[in-house]
Amino acid sequence: MTPHPKDRAYLLGIDVGNSKTHALLASLSGKAAGFAEIGCGSYEVLGLGGYTEALQKVTDLALADTGLEQNQLMGLGFGIAGYDWPSEEPVMEAGIESLGVDAPYAYVNDVTIGLLAGASAGWGVAVDAGTGNNVRGRAPDGRIGRITGNSVRFGEYGGAGELVWRAMIAVSYAWSQRGPKTRLTRMFMDYAEVDTEANLIETWAMHQLLPPPILAKEIFRLATEGDPVARDVIVWNARELGESTNAVIRQLSIQNETFDVVLIGSLFKAGEAYIAPLRETVQSFAPGATLTRLTVPPVVGAVLLAAEAAGFDPGQIRPTLIKSTAETLTSQTGDSLT
């Protein structure tokens, strides 16, 4: 790779998502230079061909936004939704190398770039609670900790889908008189447009209509209005996510350290109703953990990963990158994408 003067050398970070894919270009000083957004880039959804096309499209758009050329890229970083296992590495690398960029690169699961973007020290734990849940961690020496990110079948709970699943169990318990009555029953009946509890349970048992994760909003509403079962469902879900977080902390042996736990995902918009039991569970095991919401777009973490791949200290550019990215996105899109 031909070296470039620093004012002509750039880093490219790409956040490959199931719904959106972002690319961010920044100089070696951390000054954001260009941004691009397209839709889904996940190979799990699009296949290798679609994943490859998405990478090329978002890269081309980001370069066009700045007038830069590929030969000015010094390092590439990727956070890729769906990348979980070594067997997937050939697919990940085939897509990246199809870009034809002569620069070092690194790629991680997309939750990890959220950690890199949100953790002030560049290491710690990231907790993702959106439709599903995931936990990824990084120790100061670079060791990685994780859960599977594959939800209920691996005993991992914490996202909106798992919250609704637990609420369904509570309603089933109420119907069979194993548990107390709850307003969750009426909420699910209204959604299913049935007039009896038995009909509701039948639709679930016969796989005729399974409640979607979006109903998590209704569970929070009923908890706020005082339904004790709905409140217990939320607390249980949050504590289970806390136990998954503690498992990753245990893997990394950082429970006696001071570090950030970066919260990523829509479920945290519920605030303390969800965050408080999560915090209590985590801090009972790791008192020095500080829970913090991600306030920058995860693609920032991909640029920091690119800097690391290129042999630069990402901590040196992080403050400038965060500030300049916020300014760039506000001017281009009207929001900060967080």
Side-chain angles (χ1 to χ4, degrees), residues 18 38 70 91 105-106 108-109 119 137 156 168 171 222 240 250 252-253 262 268-269 281 337:
N18 287 309
I38 62 171
Q70 281 194 2
V91 176
Y105 65 81
V108 293
N109 177 273
E156 297 167 355
M168 290 171 65
V171 168
L222 291 174
E240 283 291 314
R250 189 176 297 111
L252 300 176
S253 299
V262 182
F268 294 117
K269 294 179 181 178
T281 302
L337 300 179

Side-chain angles (χ1 to χ4, degrees), residues 159-231:
E162 295 88 32
L163 186 68
V164 171
W165 173 86
R166 184 67 177 186
M168 290 171 65
I169 291 176
V171 168
S172 177
Y173 280 11
W175 169 74
S176 65
Q177 299 187 29
R178 178 177 173 179
K181 294 295 184 183
T182 170
R183 291 176 60 196
L184 291 167
T185 300
R186 172 49 61 182
M187 182 270 288
F188 281 124
M189 287 171 59
D190 289 344
Y191 178 79
E193 298 181 340
V194 296
D195 55 6
T196 69
E197 290 180 66
N199 286 343
L200 176 66
I201 300 300
E202 181 181 358
T203 66
W204 294 349
M206 301 302 292
H207 302 284
Q208 294 169 352
L209 179 65
L210 296 180
I214 196 172
L215 291 181
K217 293 180 180 179
E218 293 301 302
I219 299 171
F220 279 103
R221 177 182 65 80
L222 291 174
T224 300
E225 293 175 359
D227 186 88
V229 176
R231 184 171 59 249

Side-chain angles (χ1 to χ4, degrees), residues 264-324:
I264 307 167
S266 58
L267 217 58
F268 294 117
K269 294 179 181 178
E272 285 299 297
Y274 192 77
I275 295 173
L278 173 65
R279 181 189 298 113
E280 181 180 343
T281 302
V282 172
Q283 291 183 341
S284 67
F285 177 62
T290 299
L291 275 62
T292 180
R293 291 284 304 276
L294 183 64
T295 58
V296 299
V299 71
V300 166
V303 174
L304 295 174
L305 188 65
E308 193 173 274
F312 301 99
D313 180 3
Q316 294 296 313
I317 69 170
R318 187 173 183 272
T320 299
L321 180 63
I322 289 173
K323 184 175 184 294
S324 64

